[in-house]
C-alpha cells in the first residue's frame, strides 16, 4: 500500500512540474458555488488587486472565479504574483486578453497548479510576474476543487505602463509567404515570457492545405513551445525545445509560448522566432495506382511536396497493382517484369519502404544515426507493390521518387531477380543466355564470410556485347565492369555481403552470352615462426616487413617478431604503407632495440595508411599479435636506411647559413658600387667639364651677333646629343 501511495505522489509531482506552460484548461462559464462574480477591471484602471474568495482566509470553494483586466491602447499590463498557497487540484490559469472586431480573444499563457503537499508556497518554483504586449490585457481563472483539511489563498496585483522597455511583440501575427519576425532577439525581464497566435493570410478565400514554416533560433536561456490545433480547437501537435529548430505545421491554429527556462525574473535574451506561409500542399496525392501493362509502360510515384518541400509529419501509403498481363501469340514465351528506379533523401527519423506482400526490396528504418540517401535500380517480377513513407515532424529537406517501367522479356533471359536468391561460399555456376536476349537481368546476394575472412568473386561473360554491365556493390564500394572487361576473367575481393548484378538493356547481340561465376574463400595458411625474422635494410636496398600472406587475411592467435637493422651511423625511415587489423584486439608494435623490454616507439591497431616514421636507432623490433577471432588484410611496412645528416640536427646550422648569405649579399652590393664608380665616374666628370666649356663659347658667339638659345647653343646649329645635356642636371 505504501508503495502505491509513493508512486501516486510522484506522478502528481511530475504533472505539477511539467504543466505550467503546456496544459490548458477548457473554457466554460460555469463557476460552481464560489462566492465571486466575474471581476472586470476597465482600461481606465491603472492599478488593482486580485484576491481569492474569502482572502486572507484559507477557506476555499468549488468552482471558478474569473478576473478580467481589459486591454488599453498602447499600454502594457504587468501582473505580480504575491506569495500564495494553493492545494492540489486547484489552478490559476493566466490568459493574454486581446480586443478583436468580434469581442475579446484569449491566448493561454501559463497554468499554476497546486502541489501534492499540504500547501504550495511561494518558495516553490513559480513565475514571479507576467507582462503583456502593448494594447493587451489579462484574464485569470481561479479553478478550485477543495478537499477536507486543504485550503487555498492567493493575491495578485497589477499595474499599467505607458512606456515599457522592450515589451512583448503583439501576440496575433498574420503570416504570409515572406518571412515574418514573430519575436525579436531582445532583452526581456519577465521569466514568464510572451505568447503568440499565428494566422495564415488567405489566398483565393481559402487556407486549407497551407502550412507554416517556423524557425526558432538558438537561445541558451529561452524555451519555446509550439502548439498546433485543428479547426475545431483540438490540440494536434506540441513541440518544445530550447535549441535552434525549424518546424512545419498545418496553418490552422498555431500558438507559441516563449519563456525563460529558469523562472527567476532577471534580464535574459529572448530567442528570435520567424515564420512564413507555404501555399503548396503536402498531400500524398493519389495513393491507389493501377498499371495496365497492355498500353502503359511507365508511371512515377512521388512523395508529398516533391522535389523541394519538406512536408514533415506525413504518412503516405501507395498501393500499386498490375492488370492486363495475359499475352497472346509469340509473346507467350515472354514474362512480365518491372524495372524500378528508387531515389530519395530521408532524415534520421523518417521511415521508408518499398515492398511486396512477403518481401522488403529497399527501405530505411526510423531512428538512424544520420540522414540517408537511397538510389537503387533493380528488376523484379510483376507483382503488387506497396510504397510507404512516414516523415518525422522535423523540417528537413526530404524527397522520394519511385519510377516504374513495365517490360516483357524472354523467360530464358532472366536467371534471378532482385533479392530472390542468396548464394554462399564455394559456389560455381555457368549460365548461357541466347543471342535473342536484348534484355538480360541476373542478380544474386553473395553472403560474406562469418569470420570476416577475405573472399574472392571470379567471373567472366563470354560473348558480352556493347551495353552489358556487371555491378558489384558492398557496404564500402561499388564497381562497374563494361563489356570489354567482361570478356576476360575478373576478380573482386571482399569480406562483406555483396550484391552481384549482370544487366543488359536493349542491346542487339550476335552470339550467346555465357556467364561463368565462382565464389570462394581466400585461404591463407601462412603462419609466424617461433623465432624472430632478421632483416637488414641498406641505403639502396629497402626491406619489406609484412604480415604472413599479406594481403590475404592473416591467421588468428599469431605472435610474430621482426628485427630490422640498418648500417652503423645511418638513420632508419619506416613507411607505413598499410595496416588493416582488428581494432583494439590485434596490434602492431615498434620497439627501439631488439627486445620488447626496449622503449616502445609506436603502437598501431585498426586501419592506418600512408604514414612515415623516422627512427634514430639502427635496430628496431616489430611485433604483430592477434587474438582468437576476426582478421583482416594485415600490415605492410617498408624500411629504408638513410645517410646521416648531422647538419640538419645542429640547431645553429640555419643561423650560420643565413649569416653567410647576408654577408655575401653585402659584399656583392659594395663590389657593384665600386665597379660602377670606377667604370662610369670618369666619363661623367669629363661630360661635366665639357659642358662648362660649351657655355663659355656660347657667350662669345652672342657678342658676335649670333642668336643663342637658352642652352647657350646657337639656333642655327644642330641639336647636341642627349648625353651632352647632362650638365643641365648636375
Amino acid at each position: 500500500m505504501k508503495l502505491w501511495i509513493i508512486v501516486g505522489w510522484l506522478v502528481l509531482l511530475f504533472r505539477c512540474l511539467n504543466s505550467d506552460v503546456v496544459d490548458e484548461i477548457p473554457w466554460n462559464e460555469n463557476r460552481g458555488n464560489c462566492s465571486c462574480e466575474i471581476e472586470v477591471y476597465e482600461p481606465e484602471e491603472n492599478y488593482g488587486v486580485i484576491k481569492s474568495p474569502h482572502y486572507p482566509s484559507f477557506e476555499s470553494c468549488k468552482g471558478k472565479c474569473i478576473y478580467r483586466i481589459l486591454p488599453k491602447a498602447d499600454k502594457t499590463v504587468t501582473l505580480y504574483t504575491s506569495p500564495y498557497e494553493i492545494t492540489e487540484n486547484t489552478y490559476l490559469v493566466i490568459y493574454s486578453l486581446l480586443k478583436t472586431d468580434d469581442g475579446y480573444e484569449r491566448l493561454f499563457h501559463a497554468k499554476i497548479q497546486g502541489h501534492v503537499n499540504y500547501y504550495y508556497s511561494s518558495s516553490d518554483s513559480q513565475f514571479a510576474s507576467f507582462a503583456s504586449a502593448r494594447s493587451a490585457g489579462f484574464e485569470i481563472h481561479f479553478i478550485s476543487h477543495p478537499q477536507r483539511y486543504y485550503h487555498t489563498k492567493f493575491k495578485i496585483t497589477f499595474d499599467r505602463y505607458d512606456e515599457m522597455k522592450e515589451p512583448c511583440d503583439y501576440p496575433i501575427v498574420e503570416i504570409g509567404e515572406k518571412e515574418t519576425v514573430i519575436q525579436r532577439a531582445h532583452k526581456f525581464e519577465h521569466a514568464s515570457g510572451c505568447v503568440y497566435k499565428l494566422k495564415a493570410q488567405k489566398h483565393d478565400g481559402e487556407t486549407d492545405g497551407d502550412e507554416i514554416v517556423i524557425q526558432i533560433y538558438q537561445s541558451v536561456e529561452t524555451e519555446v513551445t509550439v502548439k498546433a490545433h485543428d479547426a475545431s480547437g483540438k490540440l494536434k501537435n506540441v513541440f518544445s525545445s530550447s535549441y535552434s529548430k525549424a518546424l512545419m505545421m498545418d496553418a490552422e491554429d498555431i500558438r507559441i509560448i516563449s519563456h525563460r527556462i529558469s523562472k527567476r525574473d532577471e534580464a535574459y535574451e529572448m530567442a528570435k522566432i520567424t515564420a512564413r506561409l507555404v501555399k503548396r500542399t503536402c498531400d500524398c496525392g493519389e495513393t491507389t495506382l493501377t498499371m495496365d501493362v497492355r498500353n502503359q509502360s511507365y508511371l512515377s510515384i512521388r512523395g508529398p511536396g516533391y522535389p523541394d518541400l519538406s512536408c514533415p509529419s506525413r504518412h503516405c501509403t501507395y498501393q500499386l497493382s498490375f492488370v492486363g498481363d495475359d499475352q497472346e501469340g509469340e509473346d507467350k514465351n515472354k514474362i512480365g517484369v518491372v524495372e524500378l528506379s528508387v531515389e530519395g533523401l530521408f532524415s534520421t527519423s523518417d521511415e521508408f519502404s518499398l515492398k511486396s506482400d512477403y518481401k522488403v526490396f529497399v527501405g530505411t528504418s526510423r531512428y538512424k544515426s544520420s540522414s540517408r540517401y537511397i538510389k537503387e535500380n533493380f528488376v523484379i517480377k510483376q507483382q503488387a507493390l506497396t510504397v510507404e513513407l512516414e516523415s518525422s515532424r522535423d523540417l528537413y529537406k526530404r524527397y522520394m521518387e519511385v519510377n516504374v517501367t513495365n517490360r516483357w522479356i524472354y523467360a530464358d533471359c532472366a536467371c534471378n531477380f532482385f533479392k530472390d536468391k542468396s548464394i554462399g561460399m564455394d559456389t560455381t555456376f555457368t549460365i548461357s543466355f541466347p543471342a535473342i536476349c536484348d534484355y538480360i537481368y541476373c542478380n544474386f546476394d553473395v553472403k560474406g564470410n562469418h569470420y570476416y575472412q577475405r573472399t574472392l568473386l571470379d567471373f567472366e561473360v563470354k560473348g558480352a556485347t556493347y551495353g552489358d554491365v556487371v555491378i558489384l556493390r558492398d557496404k564500402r564500394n561499388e564497381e562497374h565492369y563494361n563489356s570489354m572487361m567482361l570478356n576476360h576473367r575478373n576478380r573482386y575481393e571482399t569480406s562483406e555481403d555483396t550484391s552481384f548484378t549482370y544487366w543488359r538493356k536493349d542491346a542487339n547481340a550476335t552470339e550467346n552470352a555465357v556467364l561463368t561465376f565462382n565464389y570462394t574463400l581466400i585461404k591463407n595458411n601462412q603462419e609466424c615462426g617461433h623465432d624472430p625474422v632478421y632483416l637488414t635494410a641498406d641505403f639502396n636496398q629497402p626491406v619489406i616487413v609484412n604480415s604472413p600472406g599479406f594481403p590475404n587475411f592473416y591467421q588468428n592467435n599469431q605472435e610474430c617478431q621482426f628485427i630490422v637493422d640498418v648500417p652503423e651511423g645511418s638513420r632508419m625511415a619506416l613507411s607505413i604503407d598499410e595496416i588493416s587489423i582488428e581494432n583494439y584486439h590485434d596490434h602492431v608494435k615498434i620497439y627501439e632495440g631488439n627486445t620488447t623490454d626496449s622503449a616502445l616507439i609506436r603502437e598501431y591497431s585498426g586501419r592506418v595508411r600512408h604514414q612515415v616514421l623516422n627512427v634514430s636507432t639502427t635496430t628496431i623490433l616489430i611485433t604483430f599479435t592477434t587474438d582468437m577471432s576476426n582478421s583482416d588484410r594485415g600490415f605492410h611496412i617498408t624500411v629504408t636506411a638513410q645517410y646521416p645528416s648531422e647538419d640538419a640536427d645542429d640547431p645553429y646550422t640555419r643561423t650560420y647559413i643565413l649569416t653567410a648569405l647576408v654577408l655575401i649579399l653585402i659584399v656583392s652590393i659594395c663590389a657593384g658600387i665600386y665597379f660602377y664608380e670606377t667604370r662610369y665616374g670618369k666619363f661623367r666628370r669629363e661630360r661635366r667639364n665639357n659642358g662648362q666649356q660649351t657655355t663659355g663659347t656660347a657667350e662669345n658667339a652672342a657678342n658676335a651677333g649670333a642668336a643663342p638659345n637658352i642652352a647657350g647653343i646657337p639656333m642655327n646649329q644642330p641639336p647636341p646629343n642627349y648625353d651632352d645635356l647632362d650638365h643641365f642636371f648636375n
Side-chain angles (χ1 to χ4, degrees), residues 37-50:
E37 298 294 332
I38 299 179
E39 297 184 14
V40 179
Y41 297 85
E42 298 296 336
E44 292 75 19
E45 298 183 64
N46 293 327
Y47 175 82
V49 180
I50 299 170

Side-chain angles (χ1 to χ4, degrees), residues 659-673:
T659 303
L661 291 175
V662 171
L663 291 175
I664 293 173
L665 180 62
I666 293 173
V667 171
S668 300
I669 293 173
C670 293
I673 294 173

Side-chain angles (χ1 to χ4, degrees), residues 470-510:
V470 165
I471 304 171
L472 292 173
R473 184 170 64 179
D474 56 29
K475 290 181 180 180
R476 300 182 184 181
N477 305 296
E478 178 175 329
E479 294 190 4
H480 291 235
Y481 298 81
N482 58 30
S483 57
M484 296 181 62
M485 302 169 65
L486 292 176
N487 277 288
H488 57 79
R489 304 292 290 185
N490 295 276
R491 294 165 57 93
Y492 181 80
E493 294 186 17
T494 183
S495 60
E496 301 172 342
D497 293 350
T498 305
S499 174
F500 175 91
T501 304
Y502 170 44
W503 208 338
R504 172 186 293 176
K505 295 183 180 181
D506 302 321
N508 296 321
T510 58

Side-chain angles (χ1 to χ4, degrees), residues 404-419:
V404 184
T405 304
N406 176 70
R407 292 182 178 273
W408 295 96
I409 67 173
Y410 289 101
D412 293 338
C413 300
C415 66
N416 201 58
F417 293 103
F418 186 67
K419 289 195 174 180

Side-chain angles (χ1 to χ4, degrees), residues 35-37 39 41 47-57 65-67 82 92 140 142 152-158:
S35 58
C36 60
E37 298 294 332
E39 297 184 14
Y41 297 85
Y47 175 82
V49 180
I50 299 170
K51 303 176 183 178
S52 60
H54 314 296
Y55 185 88
S57 170
C65 296
I66 300 173
Y67 312 86
S82 301
L92 275 174
I140 303 168
F142 170 61
T152 295
K153 70 174 182 179
F154 72 89
K155 183 175 75 171
I156 298 175
T157 60
F158 76 87

Side-chain angles (χ1 to χ4, degrees), residues 284-289 301 304 314-320 353 355 385-390 400:
C284 296
E286 187 177 357
T287 57
T288 303
L289 306 168
I301 302 172
R314 292 294 184 271
H315 190 176
C316 302
T317 303
Y318 304 90
Q319 302 288 346
L320 174 61
S353 64
K355 57 189 177 181
L385 297 173
T386 300
V387 179
E388 188 170 7
L389 171 64
E390 185 173 357
M400 180 272 293

Side-chain angles (χ1 to χ4, degrees), residues 9-23 111-117 120 123-127 223 259 261 263:
W9 282 31
L10 290 174
V11 171
L12 289 173
L13 177 62
F14 179 81
R15 290 181 56 194
C16 168
L17 295 177
N18 291 276
S19 60
D20 52 351
V21 294
V22 178
D23 296 334
K111 180 177 72 174
I112 302 171
Q113 181 175 353
H115 201 270
V116 70
N117 290 336
Y120 183 26
S123 61
D124 294 303
S125 179
Q126 62 169 319
F127 289 125
E223 181 173 343
H259 64 94
I261 298 175
K263 295 185 179 180

Side-chain angles (χ1 to χ4, degrees), residues 718-730:
N721 188 283
Y722 287 116
D723 291 338
D724 295 334
L725 298 180
D726 261 358
H727 64 278
F728 291 115
F729 305 101
N730 294 323

